Amino acid sequence: TGTTQKLGFFNATPVVQRTDFGALTDSSGGTADGTVAAVVGSGADGTINDNFAECATNINAIRTVLRDLGLMA
């Protein structure tokens, strides 16, 4: 029943819920495709924007999991 035991209970968590920081808004125009690519040289704006889109997508997915598990309010 202590927070160090890491036990979960239906509709309750044994740890203090963290405040939700809100979803990230991606306005880079990039496409999330499951890859963060290396950026070499100049003129790689598309690759950079895709990397930002991928990072934002994954951070939002982590946020969703934390909320679903009840670890974040």
Side-chain angles (χ1 to χ4, degrees):
T1 58
T3 58
T4 59
Q5 291 175 308
K6 304 298 182 196
L7 296 175
F9 301 95
F10 178 73
N11 208 20
T13 54
V15 295
V16 176
Q17 286 184 320
R18 302 297 177 207
T19 302
D20 184 4
F21 54 82
L24 293 178
T25 301
D26 175 27
S27 59
S28 68
T31 302
D33 63 0
T35 304
V36 175
V39 177
V40 180
S42 61
D45 293 348
T47 301
I48 292 169
N49 289 339
D50 289 349
N51 287 346
F52 279 125
E54 186 62 36
C55 290
T57 297
N58 285 304
I59 289 170
N60 286 335
I62 292 168
R63 176 183 166 264
T64 298
V65 169
L66 290 173
R67 288 180 56 117
D68 290 349
L69 291 174
L71 299 174
M72 189 167 65

